[in-house]
Each structure stands twice: as C-alpha cells, then as structure tokens.
Amino acid sequence: MDTTIKEILTQEEFSKKNIIRLLKSEGEDRTLLFKKSADVKEKFIGNKVWFRGLIEFSNVCGKDCLYCGIRKGNKNLERYSLSDDEILAAARFAYDNRYGSIALQSGELESQFVTNRIESLLHKIKELSNGELGVTLSVGEQEPEVYKKWYEAGAHRYLLRVESTNQDLYNKIHPNDSKHNFNRRLECLKSLQDIGYQTGTGVMIGLPFQTIDDLAGDLLFMKEFNIDMCGMGPYIEHADTPLIEHAENLLPLKERFDLTLKMIAIIRIMMRDINIVAATALQTIDPIGREKAVKIGANILMPNITPGKYRDSYKLYDNKPCTDDSAEDCQSCLEARVRLADAEVIYGEWGDSKHYNGRRLKAKG
Ligand code: SAH
Ligand code: SF4
C-alpha cells in the first residue's frame, strides 16, 4: 500500500513521487499539508510578515516573453519610466513608513545607461535612509559585472524567476532566440548567488503545457539550488500576448490558485527558513488570496508604492488588482489584511532570509 499523506509529511526529504502526491492532495489530506506548512512557518519564522515596498519603475522591456503584458511586442500600452525624483520619493515614503525594504522592479534592459542609473539610484536610496532601507532588485538578466556593481552599491537581494525549470516548457513560453535562453537564466542565478546576493527565484503556476511533474521538478530545483527566497504565483493570461491562443486549454483559475497554495506549502516544508512572497497575482483570483498564502507559509508582502498614475501601465497580466490605489491606501489595506491572517507586520527591519544567514555561516565553515 502507498504511504499516506500523513506519513509523507513526517519525512525530512520529499521524493518527486511524494511531491506529486502532495500537489494532488484533496480534502483532509490537503488540510494536513496546510497545517504542517503553517506549523513549520510558526516554528522557524514566527507568525510574521515583512514588507517590501514595490516600485515598478519602468515598463520598458527589451524582451518578448510570450506570457507577459509588457513584452516589447505589445504596442497596446503606454510606456513609462519614473524619473529619479519619483523613484526617490517612493523610497522615502517607504522609509518614512518604516518599511524595512523596497523592491525595484522593471522590464529588462541591458545597457550602460541602465547600469549606471541603477547604481546611482542605489547610492541615493542608501543616503536618504541612512543606509537603513534594504533593497531588492528585480530587473532581469544582466552580466555578472553589472550584478556586482549593484551589489557593491547596496542592493543585497535579487529576484529572478526561472519561470519553469523544464527547458522544453521554458522554450515554449519564450521566443527561441539568444535573448531568451534558458541556460543564461541559470547562469545569471548562479552569478547572483556567487556574488553574495540573497537570491530569489520561482515559477509561474498553471502555464499552458505545464504538468504536475514539471511543478514537482521546479520545487526540487529550488531545494537543490539552495535558494534564499521564493516568489511563485499563478499564471494569468493577458489578452495582448501570444500565449492567449492557448487560453482554452488552461486549468481553471481556482485550480491554478489552489496549486499555487500547495506549491507554497510544500516549499515552506522543504526549505523551512527561506523567505516566501505572497504574490500579488494570487489576489487577482481570490480577494484574500495573499492572506491565505500568509496563513500557510508565506512571510513577505510587497505593497505597491509605485505612483498611482503609472500603475495601469504595468500590467503583466489582465485584471491586476489595486491599480487605482495610492501608496497610503496599500499600506492601511495590507495591514488590515495581515491581521486577518493572524500575523503581525514587522516594521523597521530588513527581514532577511534566515536561510541566507545560515548558508553564509556554513560557507565560512
Ligand atoms: N523583467 C523582470 C521583472 C519583471 S517581470 C523579469 O522578467 O525578471 C516579473 C515577473 O512577472 C516575471 O518573472 C513573471 O514570472 C511574472 N509574470 C509576467 N507575466 C505574467 C503573467 N501573465 N501571469 C503571471 N505572472 C507573470
Ligand atoms: Fe520583460 Fe520580464 Fe515581461 Fe519578460 S517577464 S517581457 S523580461 S518584463
């Protein structure tokens, strides 16, 4: 007879077969999975949430990922880039409101101009916050020297989702050219880790062609790669992208949502002390989607502090929530929401990945 879910959940390491069983769990088994992941979070992280004020500073992108609403080929949107002053004002808002950190995110451009601009912004952000604001970057694939420059200028976390670790699937959701190369994505992740960043990755869940086997492989990759942070969210179709032609074959949104919660729960159990983001895309499907993720294992929320007038233009997917809000709205709304999940927002702290600290200590021997 097969082992029960209860037995699987007592194991230290999960085999691929057992991860698949957990991903398929229903009813009481599913409840057991979520109870276990909530317990692991409580024990190793506490019932806490840290904020990263998210500044989506530009939707200009040189790439053409087939799923993404701000891909270069989409002509149906206005392109914008925040000025330095606007970015610094948003950073100051985060600092004044005692968010421990901000995250700077944009489309992907590789150029000397971008390299220098981000470097100079990092210095200014550190200066205006007396070195107190932590900074996460999420600006795509870059050369190792560029990552190094930004690290030295004060960025200390980097989010680069691998999107899918099945190379065949990766190739189906990206154009097949040198700009969208799976191996480069992996090389970038490796160089981020080598330079010393707290390194975050993740995947989209419910992509066309994606199988449960793929998702189990993604979780095993993250464990094997020894990531410090994880950001995973449901794939949500965007009408102005090539992948929309597969919309009819997708899992229903509710199932994508449920699978995302299970992925979060399983990675929390597998890598108990990493930071896990409750992705905004969860809220597109369920109004309290992020809170549900916090309850079962996530510990990071990214309140959007991009100036309101630009938010409508940073639509990676359709029905992105909160595009009409201001930063103040986000703050009070999120705080109430976190309480709803019986958790507490920790202000004025970086909320670094404990896993990273442990990993660095081990490396020093
Ligand atoms: N350009 C950078 C950062 C911005 S995109 C990068 O690509 O790394 C940030 C994330 O948005 C991507 O990693 C992708 O996982 C997610 N995303 C893009 N399109 C999406 C969609 N249609 N549904 C859900 N997530 C999407
Ligand atoms: Fe550009 Fe990132 Fe969207 Fe790809 S996912 S098109 S790199 S913004």
Side-chain angles (χ1 to χ4, degrees):
M1 218 182 75
D2 260 352
T3 33
T4 62
I5 292 288
K6 199 168 174 184
E7 282 161 349
I8 294 174
L9 288 171
T10 61
Q11 296 169 356
E12 295 268 306
E13 305 269 331
F14 296 149
S15 65
K16 191 166 190 183
K17 180 168 160 248
N18 284 343
I19 293 175
I20 292 173
R21 296 260 326 268
L22 292 170
L23 286 170
K24 289 184 171 169
S25 62
E26 282 176 21
E28 215 169 286
D29 284 344
R30 177 178 175 275
T31 310
L32 282 176
L33 166 63
F34 290 161
K35 168 97 183 51
K36 171 78 184 190
S37 61
D39 286 351
V40 170
K41 180 186 167 192
E42 163 85 56
K43 186 157 170 213
F44 293 95
I45 306 275
N47 245 337
K48 299 176 186 165
V49 166
W50 287 265
F51 280 171
R52 314 276 182 248
L54 175 62
I55 309 174
E56 297 163 333
F57 68 92
S58 168
N59 67 355
V60 180
C61 186
K63 283 173 78 171
D64 249 332
C65 307
L66 302 180
Y67 42 84
C68 178
I70 65 170
R71 64 197 296 273
K72 186 173 180 214
N74 183 10
K75 307 288 178 224
N76 280 343
L77 81 163
E78 229 174 276
R79 300 286 168 176
Y80 73 87
S81 281
L82 263 61
S83 67
D84 284 8
D85 283 348
E86 284 172 316
I87 296 173
L88 295 173
R92 186 175 296 283
F93 171 88
Y95 183 56
D96 289 347
N97 285 281
R98 305 197 61 241
Y99 290 12
S101 308
I102 57 170
L104 291 174
Q105 194 182 74
S106 70
E108 182 180 309
L109 289 177
E110 286 191 75
S111 73
Q112 195 61 44
F113 174 77
V114 168
T115 305
N116 293 345
R117 177 170 191 227
I118 292 181
E119 185 184 25
S120 123
L121 280 166
L122 286 165
H123 285 300
K124 288 181 185 153
I125 290 164
K126 287 285 159 183
E127 204 176 287
L128 73 82
S129 68
N130 300 314
E132 287 172 30
L133 263 184
V135 184
T136 306
L137 288 179
S138 177
V139 296
E141 295 169 21
Q142 305 283 341
E143 288 301 306
E145 307 80 67
V146 176
Y147 287 147
K148 194 146 190 282
K149 219 177 216 183
W150 293 341
Y151 186 74
E152 281 161 6
H156 66 148
R157 309 186 187 107
Y158 206 103
L159 279 177
L160 184 71
R161 285 187 179 176
V162 58
E163 316 295 3
S164 169
T165 57
N166 174 340
Q167 191 164 356
D168 285 341
L169 176 54
Y170 190 91
N171 290 339
K172 284 186 183 144
I173 60 171
H174 294 97
N176 287 325
D177 60 25
S178 58
K179 264 199 175 174
H180 302 80
N181 182 297
F182 180 72
N183 288 325
R184 175 151 198 242
R185 198 104 187 143
L186 295 186
E187 280 161 19
C188 284
L189 277 171
K190 189 82 195 89
S191 70
L192 288 165
Q193 198 178 49
D194 289 346
I195 289 164
Y197 280 95
Q198 290 175 50
T199 306
T201 194
V203 295
M204 281 176 287
I205 295 156
L207 286 161
F209 320 110
Q210 193 178 43
T211 64
I212 294 285
D213 201 273
D214 292 333
L215 291 172
D218 293 336
L219 292 173
L220 287 167
F221 168 88
M222 291 190 245
K223 170 94 183 173
E224 165 74 23
F225 193 86
N226 209 2
I227 59 165
D228 305 303
M229 318 185 295
C230 178
M232 300 187 286
Y235 162 69
I236 297 173
E237 54 272 45
H238 188 295
D240 297 324
T241 59
L243 276 199
I244 197 71
E245 72 177 86
H246 303 287
E248 273 165 29
N249 304 323
L250 295 172
L251 285 178
L253 280 173
K254 273 212 154 22
E255 283 180 40
R256 282 180 245 167
F257 179 85
D258 190 59
L259 263 181
T260 305
L261 287 190
K262 286 175 181 159
M263 290 284 283
I264 290 176
I266 299 169
I267 199 73
R268 171 56 76 210
I269 301 170
M270 289 170 74
M271 302 191 73
R272 52 207 190 184
D273 56 359
I274 60 169
N275 278 348
I276 303 179
V277 184
T280 311
L282 283 166
Q283 197 185 332
T284 304
I285 305 182
D286 181 332
I288 53 163
R290 285 186 294 182
E291 298 65 29
K292 288 183 179 168
V294 166
K295 258 207 150 114
I296 56 115
N299 66 318
I300 303 290
L301 279 173
M302 299 175 71
N304 198 333
I305 57 168
T306 310
K309 64 178 169 177
Y310 297 114
R311 289 194 195 182
D312 225 22
S313 303
Y314 198 85
K315 281 206 173 141
L316 304 169
Y317 43 84
D318 284 335
N319 303 319
K320 190 165 172 244
C322 310
T323 53
D324 303 331
D325 294 353
S326 68
E328 287 83 356
D329 292 340
C330 266
Q331 154 121 0
S332 50
C333 162
L334 270 176
E335 185 147 350
R337 286 164 168 282
V338 171
R339 272 196 305 269
L340 214 109
D342 295 324
E344 180 196 1
V345 179
I346 308 296
Y347 286 101
E349 276 185 16
W350 281 9
D352 276 344
S353 158
K354 285 192 188 170
H355 187 79
Y356 172 83
N357 295 333
R359 183 163 73 73
R360 299 290 279 184
L361 278 177
K362 259 191 222 149
K364 280 189 195 146

